[in-house]
Amino acid sequence: MKLFCFLFLFFTLSIQAQFQINGIVNDSSNKPLPFATIKTSDSNSAITDIDGKFILTISAKTSSFTVSYVGFQSKTIAVADNKKFYPVSLSQKSDDLKEVIISNENPALGVLKKVIANKNQNNPQRKLHSFEYKTYNKLTVTANPDSIDGRIDSSAAYKDLDKKIINVDSSDYKFKEIISKQHLFQTEKISQYQFGNNKLKETVLGTKMAGFKQPVYEIIAFNLQSISIYDPKYELLETKYESPISNNALGDYNYKLLDTVSIKGRDTYMVYFKYKQKRKSGLEGVLYIDKENFAIAKAVMRIKGVLDISGIHEFEYDTAEKLWFQSNTTFKIVKGKNNEDIKILGGTIQFDADSDEDVEPRKKVASDFTYLISESNSFDVHFNTSSAIKNPSLYIEIKEDANKKPESFWEAYRKENLDLKSQRTYLLLDSLSIEKRVEKRLGIGRKIINGFYPIGPVDLDLKKIISYNNYEGFRLGLGGITNDRFSKNFRLEAYTAYGTKDGAFKYSSGAGVLLDKSTNTWINAYYTDDVREIASTVFAVDKRVFKIYDPRPINISTFYEYSGWKANVQTKIIPKTEAILEVSRNFIEPKFDYLFNLNGKLYSSYIMTTAMLSVVWAPFSGFMQTPTGRTESDKRFPRFTFQYTQTLPDVLDNDFNFGKIDFKTEYEKQYLNGQKTSLLLQGGYAFGDAPITHLYNTAPNNLTKETIVQRITFAGRNAFETMYFNEFFSSQYLFFQIKHGFDRITLFRKVRPSLVLVTRMVWGNIENPEQHVGPAYKTLDKGFFESGIELNKIYKGIGLGGFYRYGPNQLTRFDDNIAVKISYVLDLGL
């Protein structure tokens, strides 16, 4: 027992032997000095951040620390008992930078010019034809319990000498209790990186995620920071910034030589950099540059805005290759200046908005102390290897048994054993996940986002339950598709619907067989009897988008019926693509006054046998191979969609001979401040004898009513809000749209809409107009133009937009060129 007490006392003293102090370093005018060097009397060291702040680990033996900054007089500060915060003010020297001047110009510029000139000799992906290494990564969402106010705030009232507690606020206390025992989230992975033929691939050998038996693969693939410091665009949190060592960096950044320090026994320049343009986001940080070969020996990259994000790269010097090779990386996110709630990793970490309503400074809450940190260390490095890279088009591949590794696997690869807090995190989050059915709820949430709700072995299709349009009236139905509980290699799907206005039933049934899981290759067959909007463009490879309502079809009244079969193969076998090859035969009957005139013969209905190839190509996206198949985990723009449709003459009673070529190009740019720019270029060309049902209407969405109020309807996604239904038809067209959405603006306390500016334009033409008998329409030879403003999410997702029609097809009456639309944006919070 005495031995146990002694060991316990020794352990307690050991814990107390090291602790942290913090402070800030300023100049004489109280301006922060970023990246000042701090060294303790017992050889510990640190540097200040961009705001001049520092955190320093000291021991009981530490008597003082010294702060130095190039151009300033160093200062030694004595460490006092029970003092944790140290403000330090440095005085400027008169002989600023004389000891490190390289030329008559800014000495830092001279260093950076040599860094840029020698990049190819110092960049491993340029100097070496191949290499491979392994990494151990640990990502944690946590908080420092010492930073949180752990008191239970209460107020008391006395009446008749009886003390009564009337208010207790213990939320911070409870949070501190939790964070003292465990982290909020934690995941580990072991990866092998292989480089060859100018491609870098990550293969995940093992993965472990607290609270999940089946890992969330999107989190594993989330790109937090650039792997290479030499990339021309450096990436932090999936946002790319101009690198401080890119070829054009000298015009974009200011540089300052701070100091000369030793790293791994080699002398380096310590250079501070900051982006010049204040209106645009840019990096700020410090580079440690080898004096001999001008390679990067260490780098600190940081963005400070709505979030405070930093990435640190550390390197080891290989004497044989004369090369600095990356050994460790650290990525960290803490709360910045944000007026919006920001969710990262699907809400795993959330930073609450700052409130502007309080006159007094807002009291800090738990989210202010929460941070995400990801640390990786490299090992087992080999240069100029000869092993071939399997599936090099994939940027990440997760092994089938990656989530089933025994504890001995992790113990062999971890740099150090998990501490007690990390061990508890796995145990507590795993048990909490089982208790709260987290994985099951996450699975249900994912399916709801795609418009399905699982009921046993069947996923109920939520889009089929109810909808409305001007032809069918209310469309009531039921549909679904079998899921993995039924079979992983075979699926059945079907739906049936009834229109209350047209009084007709519609239905479809089909089946699919999985040919290859790794490339998601399926062969499918269906029989369908349904209706479709005339002259509409549907890309077969477009992802299904689920909405509580589908706004534009509400206003459509002109449809055609199609009944018949189709068979297709869908696959991702070609790198960075998804393709569908389909053959179909349908009986077509227009449900409006229309006849097709082919060489004097009038058709009121017809048969079409067609072959179709639809391909979406995402050359800049990253694709991930998981045990469940291949997915686009890192969606990047631009992306391109191509579709070719051709009727098959004299095959299965086909009536007409025509072809259609359709394409679209999409681009999106999202910003951390909440803004978003999107561009869409789309076009189509129908040639041969194509009936109006299979031409182009260019997505009109305006009713033919007398007044603006009568025309108020729901807005479409990429529709012309001022173009009337059936007003224009084309056999070829070119459409362009630009949208820019701003961050939400506060009009009133609970009225915070997001402002979106929209401009659309389209040009078109129709060949052989004499073939189309019945409907009156115009053509788009001179173009059609509209612009508008959307105020989305004004209240509980409901918004309002106004649009104006102008240009050659502007109408005579001013009111007829204006459209007012209601929008609804559903935020599932998933």
Side-chain angles (χ1 to χ4, degrees):
M1 186 67 183
K2 289 182 180 179
L3 178 62
F4 174 78
C5 292
F6 174 77
L7 291 174
F8 179 80
L9 178 61
F10 177 80
F11 179 71
T12 305
L13 291 174
S14 297
I15 292 176
Q16 294 176 345
Q18 286 193 334
F19 55 95
Q20 289 183 333
I21 61 174
N22 60 84
I24 187 169
V25 179
N26 296 318
D27 61 13
S28 56
S29 60
N30 213 32
K31 184 178 178 181
L33 295 177
F35 306 112
T37 302
I38 301 169
K39 293 181 181 178
T40 66
S41 55
D42 51 350
S43 301
N44 286 336
S45 64
I47 60 171
T48 60
D49 63 16
I50 288 175
D51 303 313
K53 298 176 182 177
F54 66 89
I55 298 175
L56 186 64
T57 300
I58 62 174
S59 66
K61 298 186 298 181
T62 305
S63 59
S64 64
F65 61 90
T66 301
V67 182
S68 61
Y69 195 79
V70 71
F72 287 78
Q73 295 177 0
S74 299
K75 180 176 285 189
T76 299
I77 310 296
V79 175
D81 292 339
N82 300 321
K83 184 176 180 179
K84 289 190 174 182
F85 183 76
Y86 292 82
V88 180
S89 179
L90 299 183
S91 301
Q92 195 166 8
K93 291 181 182 178
S94 57
D95 56 344
D96 186 15
L97 295 177
K98 283 184 180 179
E99 67 276 19
V100 290
I101 286 180
I102 299 172
S103 65
N104 292 328
E105 66 176 349
N106 177 352
L109 287 178
V111 173
L112 263 297
K113 285 179 181 178
K114 293 185 178 181
V115 171
I116 295 169
N118 288 276
K119 276 195 301 183
N120 288 345
Q121 288 76 37
N122 294 318
N123 182 359
Q125 295 187 22
R126 292 297 181 92
K127 184 175 183 178
L128 305 173
H129 72 78
S130 64
F131 59 79
E132 62 181 50
Y133 61 97
K134 293 186 177 73
T135 66
Y136 166 76
N137 172 265
K138 182 181 177 183
L139 184 150
T140 307
V141 179
T142 189
N144 183 1
D146 294 336
S147 303
I148 303 166
D149 186 358
R151 297 173 301 171
I152 299 181
D153 297 327
S154 61
S155 54
Y158 289 87
K159 186 176 182 180
D160 299 328
L161 301 178
D162 290 330
K163 181 179 179 181
K164 295 180 180 181
I165 304 297
I166 60 172
N167 180 50
V168 175
D169 179 9
S170 59
S171 58
D172 284 356
Y173 176 79
K174 291 177 180 178
F175 181 74
K176 183 171 183 176
E177 261 195 327
I178 293 170
I179 209 65
S180 298
K181 296 177 182 177
Q182 66 174 84
H183 301 301
L184 302 178
F185 178 75
Q186 178 176 283
T187 181
E188 297 175 279
K189 70 173 178 177
I190 303 294
S191 298
Q192 180 185 35
Y193 285 88
Q194 294 173 289
F195 175 80
N197 296 322
N198 295 317
K199 291 183 179 179
L200 182 68
K201 180 189 175 183
E202 177 187 3
T203 302
V204 178
L205 306 176
T207 178
K208 194 174 184 181
M209 190 171 291
F212 295 91
K213 291 182 180 178
Q214 184 77 15
V216 182
Y217 295 121
E218 292 85 348
I219 292 180
I220 294 174
F222 203 78
N223 200 16
L224 297 175
Q225 67 186 122
S226 287
I227 294 174
S228 173
I229 194 68
Y230 290 98
D231 291 342
K233 296 287 186 180
Y234 183 83
E235 189 166 358
L236 280 175
L237 197 60
E238 296 197 323
T239 302
K240 291 188 175 182
Y241 304 91
E242 187 72 25
S243 168
I245 57 172
S246 70
N247 292 337
N248 301 318
L250 298 182
D252 295 326
Y253 283 90
N254 289 318
Y255 302 90
K256 183 178 181 181
L257 192 54
L258 298 180
D259 209 342
T260 55
V261 296
S262 177
I263 296 181
K264 311 296 182 184
R266 294 177 66 88
D267 291 335
T268 66
Y269 297 113
M270 187 178 177
V271 177
Y272 167 69
F273 63 89
K274 185 175 183 179
Y275 197 65
K276 288 181 179 179
Q277 299 184 40
K278 293 183 179 180
R279 294 184 179 180
K280 292 178 65 178
S281 296
L283 296 167
E284 187 173 0
V286 64
L287 301 173
Y288 296 79
I289 299 164
D290 190 307
K291 280 187 173 184
E292 184 179 330
N293 59 15
F294 295 92
I296 304 300
K298 183 179 178 180
V300 180
M301 320 289 271
R302 189 177 177 193
I303 285 289
K304 188 171 183 182
V306 294
L307 293 173
D308 190 346
I309 308 171
S310 60
I312 299 174
H313 298 254
E314 296 179 89
F315 300 80
E316 290 284 346
Y317 187 74
D318 187 274
T319 53
E321 295 291 339
K322 297 182 178 179
L323 181 74
W324 286 92
F325 196 83
Q326 191 162 275
S327 58
N328 297 282
T329 59
T330 304
F331 175 89
K332 189 174 183 179
I333 304 175
V334 298
K335 184 182 177 72
K337 299 176 181 177
N338 58 302
N339 297 317
E340 288 285 335
D341 290 353
I342 297 174
K343 298 179 182 180
I344 300 170
L345 303 182
T348 298
I349 178 171
Q350 176 173 346
F351 298 97
D352 294 333
D354 290 327
S355 173
D356 295 327
E357 298 170 10
D358 301 327
V359 176
E360 296 180 2
R362 183 180 67 93
K363 179 185 175 182
K364 289 193 173 184
V365 295
S367 69
D368 292 299
F369 304 103
T370 305
Y371 63 90
L372 178 150
I373 185 165
S374 173
E375 297 175 288
S376 298
N377 60 78
S378 303
F379 57 94
D380 201 9
V381 181
H382 300 282
F383 299 136
N384 298 321
T385 57
S386 57
S387 55
I389 302 175
K390 185 180 178 181
N391 296 325
S393 61
L394 298 171
Y395 91 105
I396 182 171
E397 181 175 358
I398 300 173
K399 288 293 187 182
E400 193 85 24
D401 62 344
N403 65 322
K404 301 172 185 175
K405 296 295 185 182
E407 188 60 28
S408 58
F409 170 86
W410 295 101
E411 290 174 353
Y413 284 115
R414 287 185 184 122
K415 193 173 182 180
E416 55 187 33
N417 293 331
L418 290 181
D419 58 22
L420 185 59
K421 189 172 181 179
S422 295
Q423 295 176 38
R424 282 177 179 164
T425 302
Y426 280 123
L427 292 172
L428 294 172
L429 290 184
D430 286 349
S431 62
L432 182 65
S433 177
I434 294 171
E435 180 186 346
K436 301 293 185 181
R437 299 183 302 164
V438 172
E439 285 193 89
K440 183 178 180 180
R441 291 168 65 186
L442 178 63
I444 292 173
R446 283 178 167 178
K447 291 192 175 182
I448 289 176
I449 288 175
N450 292 315
F452 294 98
Y453 187 86
I455 302 176
V458 176
D459 291 343
L460 181 68
D461 193 335
L462 301 176
K463 290 189 73 175
K464 303 298 184 185
I465 297 174
I466 186 170
S467 60
Y468 180 87
N469 61 67
N470 281 334
Y471 173 74
E472 296 177 280
F474 283 101
R475 178 180 168 121
L476 309 174
L478 187 67
I481 182 170
T482 57
N483 55 38
D484 287 352
R485 291 184 61 181
F486 175 81
S487 173
K488 293 183 178 181
N489 302 313
F490 181 73
R491 64 190 179 195
L492 298 172
E493 58 181 299
Y495 71 82
T496 184
Y498 176 76
T500 59
K501 190 174 181 180
D502 68 339
F505 282 95
K506 296 88 181 174
Y507 64 90
S508 176
S509 61
V513 177
L514 180 64
L515 299 182
D516 183 64
K517 182 174 71 172
S518 64
T519 58
N520 300 88
T521 301
W522 288 78
I523 184 169
N524 309 287
Y526 306 89
Y527 185 86
T528 305
D529 187 343
D530 208 336
V531 294
R532 181 177 293 164
E533 177 192 2
I534 68 164
S536 55
T537 302
V538 178
F539 289 91
V541 289
D542 276 355
K543 296 298 182 186
R544 172 191 172 108
V545 178
F546 172 63
K547 298 179 180 179
I548 291 295
Y549 74 101
D550 199 358
R552 189 176 164 272
I554 290 175
N555 306 318
I556 302 170
S557 58
T558 314
F559 287 80
Y560 66 89
E561 181 183 0
Y562 67 102
S563 59
W565 58 265
K566 67 179 179 181
N568 64 41
V569 175
Q570 58 184 116
T571 183
K572 297 178 181 177
I573 193 169
I574 302 173
K576 296 184 179 290
T577 69
E578 181 173 356
I580 295 178
L581 178 62
E582 182 174 282
V583 177
S584 66
R585 182 187 185 273
N586 285 293
F587 173 77
I588 309 293
E589 184 179 1
K591 294 299 183 179
F592 57 100
D593 182 21
Y594 175 71
L595 296 172
F596 183 64
N597 179 6
L598 180 61
N599 301 323
K601 183 178 179 180
L602 299 177
Y603 289 82
S604 60
S605 60
Y606 30 88
I607 293 174
M608 286 187 180
T609 307
T610 61
M612 180 267 293
L613 174 65
S614 187
V615 180
V616 58
W617 179 43
F620 302 102
S621 292
F623 286 80
M624 173 173 61
Q625 189 74 46
T626 74
T628 58
R630 189 171 299 178
T631 59
E632 184 183 5
S633 56
D634 184 22
K635 189 174 182 179
R636 297 296 179 94
F637 296 91
R639 53 195 297 112
F640 308 92
T641 306
F642 170 84
Q643 186 165 288
Y644 177 64
T645 307
Q646 177 65 57
T647 59
L648 303 177
D650 304 319
V651 176
L652 300 175
D653 302 320
N654 175 66
D655 285 321
F656 308 137
N657 183 12
F658 71 89
K660 291 178 69 177
I661 299 173
D662 299 287
F663 77 91
K664 66 176 176 179
T665 302
E666 303 165 272
Y667 177 81
E668 286 185 8
K669 171 75 172 177
Q670 290 187 320
Y671 308 91
L672 277 176
N673 61 7
Q675 296 190 44
K676 176 181 174 181
T677 301
S678 60
L679 306 175
L680 174 62
L681 178 66
Q682 184 171 318
Y685 176 53
F687 53 92
D689 300 318
I692 203 168
T693 51
H694 289 66
L695 296 183
Y696 304 104
N697 61 21
T698 59
N701 193 34
N702 202 12
L703 298 176
T704 309
K705 299 287 185 179
E706 184 68 21
T707 66
I708 296 175
V709 175
Q710 290 176 313
R711 295 195 300 270
I712 295 177
T713 55
F714 287 96
R717 186 184 178 195
N718 298 316
F720 282 96
E721 307 296 349
T722 61
M723 183 186 291
Y724 294 92
F725 284 99
N726 304 326
E727 184 180 3
F728 297 92
F729 288 101
S730 305
S731 59
Q732 60 244 358
Y733 78 100
L734 185 66
F735 165 72
F736 178 71
Q737 172 183 275
I738 180 169
K739 287 186 176 183
H740 183 80
F742 294 89
D743 195 10
R744 299 183 74 172
I745 54 176
T746 302
L747 299 180
F748 303 101
R749 182 175 179 180
K750 292 187 177 182
V751 180
R752 301 176 60 247
S754 60
L755 174 67
V756 181
L757 303 180
V758 185
T759 292
R760 302 183 181 98
M761 57 197 73
V762 64
W763 294 265
N765 185 33
I766 192 164
E767 295 179 351
N768 306 319
E770 69 281 357
Q771 292 183 324
H772 311 292
V773 181
Y777 59 87
K778 295 183 286 186
T779 61
L780 291 164
D781 304 74
K782 297 181 180 179
F784 185 98
F785 305 85
E786 78 171 21
S787 294
I789 297 175
E790 297 176 354
L791 287 175
N792 295 322
K793 295 187 282 189
I794 296 175
Y795 182 73
K796 296 187 180 297
I798 299 174
L800 199 63
F803 301 86
Y804 182 69
R805 170 175 176 167
Y806 55 93
N809 278 295
Q810 188 175 35
L811 300 175
T812 305
R813 209 175 77 167
F814 177 76
D815 291 358
D816 292 339
N817 298 297
I818 298 174
V820 177
K821 296 298 171 76
I822 300 168
S823 66
Y824 183 78
V825 178
L826 175 67
D827 184 7
L828 292 173
L830 296 169

